[in-house]
Amino acid sequence: SDLQKQEERGELLQPLIFILLVLCSVLLYFKVSLMDPGFVKPEEEVKEGEDKGQGVVIPQIPGDIKLRRCGYCLVKQPMRARHCQLCQHCVRRYDHHCPWLENCVGERNHPLFIVYLSVQLVVLLWGGHVAWSGLYFEQSWEWLQHNIFLLVCFLLIFIFTIVVLLLLVSHLYLISCNTTTWEFMSHHRISYLRHSELENPFDQGIILNLWRFFC
């Protein structure tokens, strides 16, 4: 049959890989959306310098900066944690609250969030290539009627691709500097950054920053 011939020629391998990537993207979405991003538990007693990922850079932060209790949930916040009013929890190494995920991106799910964006970008680029290959341009109303759906799909894929690409690049840049979106946007409001002698006291070099984050 035609299906067997296509299988023998390897023509079914690419659609299968594409479907698996889409499935992987969906599973990653639900995983990142539903998992604990690093909520600070009320029963935890956090000591200064205990926050994961600070390493040898803690002595560079002024000693008069003390850990404070959250004014909302009353837990003792680790350094780099922030209270999210949408999640009603303090989140370790808080990056941002993602409205698409309906969850915070923090210490525990940030690496998976980057993996999700990467897989999503591959899916969008592949889908955009498929949509573009199906277009042949003619200056006629009849052509537009027959290709309007494919054209709209390509434009939507193009827009989403730009958004995901910019988001992924910006996050990789911040990770390489060992900073978060919250710290980058609100540097002047955060006491341990505002009073630090260094612009970013957590930066340990690109290689070590990436290693600590992903490994």
Side-chain angles (χ1 to χ4, degrees):
S1 64
D2 293 338
L3 189 61
Q4 290 177 332
K5 292 180 180 178
Q6 288 179 341
E7 185 178 0
E8 291 174 358
R9 294 195 298 265
E11 294 178 0
L12 298 180
L13 183 60
Q14 288 189 359
L16 180 61
I17 294 175
F18 181 78
I19 292 173
L20 289 176
L21 282 173
V22 173
L23 180 61
C24 180
S25 174
V26 173
L27 292 177
L28 282 170
Y29 172 84
F30 284 108
K31 177 66 175 177
V32 178
S33 176
L34 298 176
M35 74 180 295
D36 178 356
F39 294 137
V40 182
K41 303 299 188 297
E43 63 273 13
E44 292 178 350
E45 284 297 328
V46 184
K47 297 180 181 180
E48 188 173 4
E50 196 177 55
D51 192 22
K52 182 180 177 182
Q54 294 178 24
V56 297
V57 297
I58 292 304
Q60 299 171 342
I61 299 174
D64 58 342
I65 299 177
K66 298 180 180 180
L67 300 183
R68 66 184 184 87
R69 289 199 176 273
C70 175
Y72 295 95
C73 53
L74 301 180
V75 298
K76 199 170 185 180
Q77 286 184 333
M79 193 170 291
R80 311 190 77 177
R82 181 176 184 261
H83 183 86
C84 175
Q85 297 190 26
L86 295 174
C87 292
Q88 295 297 311
H89 284 285
C90 285
V91 181
R92 292 178 179 273
R93 202 181 182 279
Y94 175 87
D95 188 87
H96 71 286
H97 182 92
C98 181
W100 302 105
L101 297 172
E102 280 297 326
N103 194 13
C104 282
V105 175
E107 183 180 79
R108 295 189 61 188
N109 65 350
H110 200 172
L112 272 181
F113 179 71
I114 299 300
V115 175
Y116 164 69
L117 289 179
S118 302
V119 174
Q120 190 66 53
L121 181 61
V122 173
V123 171
L124 286 168
L125 289 173
W126 197 334
H129 172 71
V130 172
W132 178 261
S133 63
L135 287 172
Y136 61 94
F137 294 95
E138 294 180 4
Q139 295 182 354
S140 66
W141 176 250
E142 184 179 354
W143 174 89
L144 184 60
Q145 286 181 319
H146 284 87
N147 293 272
I148 185 65
F149 178 75
L150 193 59
L151 190 60
V152 170
C153 286
F154 175 77
L155 291 176
L156 288 175
I157 291 174
F158 178 77
I159 293 172
F160 288 135
T161 300
I162 296 299
V163 172
V164 173
L165 179 62
L166 291 176
L167 192 59
L168 180 60
V169 170
S170 64
H171 272 274
L172 289 176
Y173 169 75
L174 294 176
I175 292 167
S176 68
C177 299
N178 196 2
T179 189
T180 64
T181 303
W182 162 246
E183 291 172 341
F184 182 78
M185 299 294 292
S186 306
H187 188 280
H188 61 287
R189 297 171 54 189
I190 303 174
S191 58
Y192 59 81
L193 296 179
R194 188 173 67 247
H195 298 296
S196 174
E197 296 178 359
L198 301 176
E199 183 176 354
N200 180 12
F202 303 108
D203 188 6
Q204 300 178 53
I206 295 177
I207 296 177
L208 190 55
N209 291 338
L210 292 173
W211 175 264
R212 284 181 177 276
F213 181 84
F214 288 107
C215 304

